[in-house]
Amino acid sequence: MFARFLLLIALPGCFVYETDEDRGGAPNEAPHFEYADAGCYPDDYYRDYVWYFDVDVTDADGALDVTEVYADVYDDWDGRWVDGFELYPEEGITWYSAWVGGSTWLDCNYSGYFVDFTAYDSYGALDVVTVVPATW
């Protein structure tokens, strides 16, 4: 057992770095928001408010290069993070997510929020856009 441990310590480490040349020489392009909207509305079925987060994200490397989109909601009064949501690909460049108000920390009657949308591509490049959500 001790000999195996010493053998593992003696093995050299290896790091692999990817460059633009490894991808055929073309530099990676970051995602870009074309449209962003957020807000809430009353829903009779749930007898609650529903929060929605809706964006269109393009990428010069192709729509499939966008891998993740998130919405982080902050309180405008003190800058405090209130809640975060993952968006899911819908059709084409559209990403969407909706949440029943009771499952969030958000209050649809409060107008002091702002939402930071962040989109990531497969190489870690990102874009951020901020919107004020529509509330009641």
Side-chain angles (χ1 to χ4, degrees):
M1 173 80 169
F2 183 71
R4 262 191 218 160
F5 178 72
L6 287 177
L7 179 62
L8 289 175
I9 290 176
L11 292 175
C14 177
F15 294 96
V16 177
Y17 295 98
E18 183 176 76
T19 66
D20 289 338
E21 291 175 10
D22 296 330
R23 292 191 302 267
N28 180 48
E29 297 291 331
H32 176 73
F33 285 98
E34 297 288 325
Y35 168 83
D37 188 28
C40 62
Y41 58 87
D43 186 277
D44 292 336
Y45 179 79
Y46 292 110
R47 295 184 183 168
D48 199 349
Y49 289 97
V50 173
W51 282 88
Y52 65 90
F53 305 94
D54 183 22
V55 298
D56 288 347
V57 184
T58 60
D59 191 307
D61 300 315
L64 294 178
D65 192 37
V66 179
T67 58
E68 299 172 298
V69 179
Y70 296 97
D72 287 299
V73 182
Y74 296 88
D75 190 321
D76 193 36
W77 185 72
D78 61 5
R80 176 180 52 91
W81 179 85
V82 180
D83 213 338
F85 306 92
E86 183 173 2
L87 279 67
Y88 303 97
E90 289 283 310
E91 186 175 320
I93 61 171
T94 300
W95 292 67
Y96 183 81
S97 187
W99 302 81
V100 175
S103 69
T104 74
W105 293 102
L106 304 177
D107 179 359
C108 196
N109 295 308
Y110 179 64
S111 62
Y113 296 124
F114 66 92
V115 180
D116 279 350
F117 288 105
T118 308
Y120 296 93
D121 74 5
S122 58
Y123 292 101
L126 61 96
D127 189 21
V128 178
V129 67
T130 302
V131 300
V132 175
T135 56
W136 283 78

